[in-house]
Structures are given as C-alpha cells and as structure tokens.
Amino acid sequence: MTNLSSRLAALFSLLALIAAVGAGWLALKTRDEVRAAAALSVRPALVFQADARPGAGLRLSNQGVGPAVIIAVRMALAAPDGTVTWMGYPDAANSATLNLWDFLGLPNVNQGLPAGVAALAAPPQPGAVFPVGEGADLIRFPAGDVLPEAWKTANAKAADAALAGLMLCVEYQGMDGSRYALDRGGLCARALTDKDRRYIGVK
C-alpha cells in the first residue's frame, strides 16, 4: 500500500468515525426531544384558583394536559414571631385524618348556619387523581347572603385570616412519573425548625 493510499484510508476512517459520532449524537438528541415532547403531552399543572361562585374559598384545579396524582400535602400557618405550625394530611405519625377546621382556628365554623348550609374543608388525599380541567374545593365558605350576622361576628375575621395565611405545598406527579410541586406561601422550600410547632390534632 502506498503512502497516498494509507493517507486516504486514514482519512476515510476518520470521516467514518465523525459520521458515526454525529449519528449517535443525533440519535440521542432525537430521543431526548421525543421524551421531552412525550412528557409535555401528559404534563399536569395544578393551580390554586379563584372562581366566580358565591362564597369565599380556595380551589385546586388541574390546568395541564394530563392527569395529576397527589403524592403528599403539607400545610402551615405562620405566627407573628415568624414560626409556623405545620400539619401533614393525613398525619404520618399517628395515621389520623386531622380536622382542618381545628387547625385553622375555626372549630365551630358550622355552628349557627341554616339547615343545608355548611363550610367545607377537604384537603386532597395522597393518591387522589385530578383529571384535566377538573378540580376540588380545599376550603369553601357559604355565600355571604346566607350567613347569619352572629356567624359573621364569630367567624368572619378568622375565616379571612385562614384563607389569606394558609401555606400549602402539594406534591404531585404526572402519568409519566415526572414529579412537580405546587407552592403557596413558600412552604415547599421551607424546613421544619426546632422553634416551629407540629399540629397532630391533640389539644
């Protein structure tokens, strides 16, 4: 084999190697793009939503393009000194389904309301599925025109404070296993400290 033939063979080998590397890179890039597109096609997007129905409340709904599966829910209320009272739902320590109204400082919220009228509190349970476009009320108070004045005097201020100050971290996942978190008040990024309290339903 001549010197020229050797050089040509080496050049062709180098070109073949470059082509193979390029093809491999393109295949990986295409695979990643396909995976990303597939993830986007089923991605849920939970949001806290205000709506136009009578009565104040806090609603959770799925505004994404795929179902959302609830993994865990944490709640907290901030105190004036900067500490927080934490609540997991249900509480992992004692397997208790805790009373959210007690936690919010409204244990008697449904006393004195007309028959058939009630305030609702229903935190999403782990494993619950939110289909696309559907949601559920986490907290819902009756419309103001059906609330007796005595109820407003006893509960309205605490109800407003609960709606404004409730911190929430809702962890959920899509059908492809991708995990997400919906945060209200910065709770997802916060860790329990020694000064904080943990609500376990015991007074």
Side-chain angles (χ1 to χ4, degrees):
M1 183 180 284
T2 65
N3 194 27
L4 179 59
S5 297
S6 298
R7 289 181 180 178
L8 287 174
L11 177 61
F12 288 140
S13 295
L14 179 61
L15 291 174
L17 178 62
I18 292 172
V21 170
W25 176 82
L26 185 58
L28 290 174
K29 187 170 188 246
T30 302
R31 182 197 66 185
D32 291 343
E33 288 175 351
V34 168
R35 284 183 177 174
L40 286 174
S41 71
V42 297
R43 181 174 183 173
L46 292 182
V47 298
F48 294 120
Q49 182 182 41
D51 57 47
R53 289 177 300 160
L58 181 63
R59 184 172 177 80
L60 181 67
S61 68
N62 183 3
Q63 300 299 310
V65 292
V69 181
I70 302 297
I71 299 172
V73 178
R74 288 185 295 156
M75 289 169 273
L77 287 174
D81 63 0
T83 62
V84 298
T85 300
W86 293 72
M87 175 178 172
Y89 202 93
D91 182 63
N94 57 17
S95 300
T97 300
L98 304 175
N99 188 322
L100 182 56
W101 289 131
D102 280 340
F103 174 72
L104 294 175
L106 290 158
N108 303 314
V109 69
N110 280 308
Q111 291 182 9
L113 291 176
V117 175
L120 305 174
Q125 299 294 301
V129 178
F130 283 73
V132 175
E134 295 191 19
D137 289 329
L138 304 186
I139 299 173
R140 175 65 53 184
F141 293 101
D145 58 355
V146 301
L147 292 173
E149 287 303 317
W151 187 98
K152 294 178 184 178
T153 300
N155 297 294
K157 189 172 182 179
D160 288 343
L163 284 179
L166 181 62
M167 303 162 69
L168 281 149
C169 179
V170 180
E171 298 176 51
Y172 63 100
Q173 69 179 26
M175 291 293 101
D176 63 344
S178 298
R179 295 179 66 131
Y180 310 93
L182 174 62
D183 195 354
R184 185 178 196 245
L187 187 61
C188 291
R190 184 163 180 162
L192 183 69
T193 71
D194 292 338
K195 294 182 180 179
D196 293 334
R197 294 157 300 280
R198 187 162 168 268
Y199 177 82
I200 57 173
V202 178
K203 294 183 179 180

